[in-house]
Amino acid sequence: MNIINFAHRGASAVCPENTMAAFRRSLELGATGIETDVQMSRDGRLVLIHDEELSRTTTGTGFIKDHTWGELQQLDAGSWFAPEFQGERLPLLEDLLELLQDRDTILNIELKNGVFLYPGMEEKVIALVRAYGLTERVVLSSFNHYSLAYCKSLAPEIRTGILYGEGLYRPWDYAATLHADALHAFHFAVLPEFVTEAAEHGVVYHPFTVNDPKRMAELIDAGVAGIITDHPDMLAGLLAARGV
Ligand code: G3P
Ligand code: MG
């Protein structure tokens, strides 16, 4: 089975994270999957941005939830990273779905509904994924596990991945309670014997965020199904060298 090379927020080491430039570049660098973060605007649009607040990665200030899409689309989401990216805009989820529609890339949509719950976000994400015919290529993840259970109840055909930091006891048993398909664990929480036991229970690991080639190699050897990285080119090289 091919190990999925998930570009974390796109090619975020070399492009402004969660922009179309970052997503396109990641595909050029060998990503076979893309991880992105979704927040919701005041008028219910699904915007791809990591933080709840605008100021780190755009020319705006305040919370995404307090702005309309009309306001958000005026912002520059590239110049904070480097001058040549000036003019990059915040993407909507549909922009990324469109980019991936005719490819075989796996898309991990992380619902950022842990701080603000964004009522209705699950329904909107699922409706768009279905409209683009991408249900088989999407993994929904969140640190809000109530939301993941709800997603599964709405769309049993779409895979879900449980995001967590550390020390979850027998996460494959926990995954069964949510009918989840994957464990999106902080990579220090992944031991080879966990990967083996999870697989016996039909649950796969997609650890995040792995930027050290030595650690990538350990996780590949442990049998993870995918790796989330800021450096898809590094991971692609490693996978090619190992013939996996
Ligand atoms: O989905 C993996 C990773 O993106 C989770 O953390 O904060 O980078 O969204 P964060
Ligand atoms: Mg994320």
Side-chain angles (χ1 to χ4, degrees), residues 107-123:
L107 176 60
N108 172 203
I109 305 170
E110 181 186 347
L111 281 65
K112 282 287 184 200
N113 51 2
V115 175
F116 303 118
L117 299 181
Y118 296 129
M121 174 183 259
E122 293 91 345
E123 286 86 347

Side-chain angles (χ1 to χ4, degrees), residues 42-59:
R42 194 171 93 201
D43 49 348
R45 302 300 294 270
L46 298 169
V47 185
L48 303 183
I49 180 169
H50 178 272
D51 301 0
E52 285 73 27
E53 217 271 333
L54 290 160
S55 57
R56 183 177 63 86
T57 59
T58 78
T59 47

Side-chain angles (χ1 to χ4, degrees), residues 39-221:
Q39 310 261 0
M40 203 155 82
S41 69
R42 194 171 93 201
D43 49 348
R45 302 300 294 270
L46 298 169
V47 185
L48 303 183
I49 180 169
H50 178 272
D51 301 0
E52 285 73 27
E53 217 271 333
L54 290 160
S55 57
R56 183 177 63 86
T57 59
T58 78
T59 47
T61 55
F63 293 121
I64 287 86
K65 71 172 180 61
D66 294 331
H67 292 80
T68 62
W69 172 239
E71 293 161 353
L72 294 170
Q73 67 182 328
Q74 310 296 325
L75 303 176
D76 184 308
S79 54
W80 70 276
F81 187 82
E84 65 259 36
F85 292 104
Q86 187 179 1
E88 276 298 317
R89 302 289 162 192
L90 288 169
L92 290 169
L93 178 57
E94 44 266 56
D95 297 326
L96 181 53
L97 295 173
E98 179 133 0
L99 175 71
L100 300 185
Q101 195 167 28
D102 299 323
R103 309 183 60 108
D104 54 8
T105 316
I106 305 295
L107 176 60
N108 172 203
I109 305 170
E110 181 186 347
L111 281 65
K112 282 287 184 200
N113 51 2
V115 175
F116 303 118
L117 299 181
Y118 296 129
M121 174 183 259
E122 293 91 345
E123 286 86 347
K124 284 173 188 285
V125 170
I126 288 166
L128 272 183
V129 170
R130 283 178 172 160
Y132 280 83
L134 292 175
T135 53
E136 287 179 11
R137 284 201 274 127
V138 163
V139 184
L140 302 174
S141 65
S142 179
F143 286 100
N144 180 341
H145 302 171
Y146 289 93
S147 175
L148 285 183
Y150 185 52
C151 285
K152 202 52 148 179
S153 74
L154 293 173
E157 79 278 20
I158 302 180
R159 283 176 281 173
T160 56
I162 298 174
L163 273 164
Y164 65 97
E166 55 196 38
L168 195 61
Y169 181 66
R170 296 181 62 84
W172 43 90
D173 290 341
Y174 179 57
T177 69
L178 302 181
H179 303 291
D181 305 272
L183 297 166
H184 289 216
F186 182 44
H187 72 88
F188 289 119
V190 185
L191 299 183
E193 56 269 36
F194 295 174
V195 180
T196 305
E197 192 156 356
E200 286 164 6
H201 289 79
V203 178
V204 299
Y205 272 92
H206 299 150
F208 73 93
T209 299
V210 189
N211 292 328
D212 169 24
K214 194 164 156 283
R215 186 66 184 135
M216 287 175 179
E218 288 169 2
L219 291 164
I220 293 166
D221 290 342

